[in-house]
Amino acid sequence: MKKLTVLVHLAALLSLAGCAICPQPAKTTPVSHPPQINPPATVPAPSASSAASESAATATEPSAASPTEPADDALVRVLRFIPTARQDLPYATPDNFTGQTIYDFTDAYLRYGTVKRLKGVCDELAQQGIGILIWDGFRPVSAQNRLWEICPDITYVSPPNTGYRAHCRGSAVDVTLVDLETGVELKMPTGFDDFTGMADRDYSDCPADAAANAVLLEETMKKYGFKPYVAEWWHFSDPDEYPIEETFEPGVG
């Protein structure tokens, strides 16, 4: 019994000695690693077919910020560029001095360079609440020939055998004044195609208000470069030279 007790004590001492000589793991400070940064995502390069499609789309879509402006010699529909203007073309109906329809279109056309001059006139007159009414613009050569056949008077119709024919060049316009809001015509010396002395630019033989309106139209047109025709208070031409147009068909295309 005594021997057993000794052995138990000896085992306890050895157990305590083992705990003392076995080193404890050292306390370590955890290493702080920098945060992981994922590389930016890369966009795959477009394939050759998609790149070509995108390029074609860009080429075929016109830029709204920079529309193509017509050349000065292009014949254009006037109201497209001067929407405040009005038009009533007597030669497109039988309601004219000939009693016949002279041409079959109802929109006034002029050279774009002439339209730019006319727009300046309209913008200035608009400040006074006044607009313009177009009676005639571009006139096909065939229409000019018909007018000459009916009225072979060089004072009022250019003969086909001359090179002038300003209406056939798209650079002459027949206009009057109207109230900008209502479209009612202002009083003028005569109506359109009045072949009397009252239609000339000597306004002393007409009422004062008609004379004042005719002078306003003439002076404003001249300010923007138009040349008035002495025998017709409504007729003005652009001094820029344009050729006689032989093939243009208004309203086509």
Side-chain angles (χ1 to χ4, degrees):
M1 185 68 176
K2 182 179 180 180
K3 185 176 180 180
L4 178 59
T5 302
V6 171
L7 290 173
V8 170
H9 284 292
L10 181 59
L13 289 172
L14 290 173
S15 174
L16 292 173
C19 290
I21 63 175
C22 290
Q24 296 293 324
K27 294 183 178 180
T28 58
T29 304
V31 178
S32 59
H33 297 285
Q36 183 177 1
I37 301 176
N38 294 324
T42 57
V43 179
S47 64
S49 60
S50 64
S53 299
E54 182 178 351
S55 175
T58 302
T60 56
E61 294 176 5
S63 171
S66 56
T68 302
E69 186 175 21
D72 280 356
D73 63 352
L75 279 161
V76 299
R77 188 169 64 88
V78 177
L79 266 61
R80 175 186 172 194
F81 299 95
I82 315 178
T84 59
R86 295 172 184 261
Q87 59 184 9
D88 180 14
L89 311 185
Y91 294 145
T93 74
D95 188 18
N96 58 70
F97 81 97
T98 71
Q100 302 177 27
T101 300
I102 302 300
Y103 46 65
D104 60 0
F105 54 89
T106 56
D107 281 317
Y109 286 79
L110 290 170
R111 300 286 182 176
Y112 182 62
T114 308
V115 169
K116 289 192 293 185
R117 293 182 186 273
L118 193 59
K119 187 176 187 309
V121 172
C122 291
D123 290 346
E124 180 160 329
L125 290 173
Q127 299 175 24
Q128 305 176 54
I130 298 173
I132 66 164
L133 171 66
I134 301 172
W135 280 328
D136 196 19
F138 168 71
R139 189 185 298 163
V141 172
S142 59
Q144 188 71 21
N145 291 341
R146 291 186 66 185
L147 287 175
W148 179 255
E149 291 171 1
I150 297 167
C151 181
D153 186 337
I154 195 171
T155 304
Y156 302 107
V157 180
S158 296
N161 60 352
T162 70
Y164 186 60
R165 292 177 283 175
H167 279 289
C168 298
R169 299 175 187 273
S171 57
V173 61
D174 296 334
V175 294
T176 190
L177 298 179
V178 297
D179 181 283
L180 186 60
E181 184 176 351
T182 65
V184 174
E185 295 181 30
L186 303 190
K187 190 171 184 179
M188 289 302 214
T190 69
F192 180 54
D193 274 354
D194 182 298
F195 300 148
T196 70
M198 292 283 290
D200 64 21
R201 294 189 182 275
D202 173 15
Y203 306 128
S204 63
D205 53 358
C206 63
D209 54 352
N213 291 333
V215 169
L216 174 62
L217 174 61
E218 180 177 338
E219 292 303 316
T220 309
M221 294 290 282
K222 286 165 62 177
K223 180 177 179 179
Y224 288 88
F226 285 98
K227 296 170 60 176
Y229 177 51
V230 66
E232 298 172 345
W233 62 262
W234 58 81
H235 179 99
F236 299 88
S237 59
D238 185 341
D240 290 339
E241 289 292 331
Y242 296 102
I244 292 173
E245 177 54 54
E246 301 277 2
T247 60
F248 177 71
E249 296 183 47
V252 176

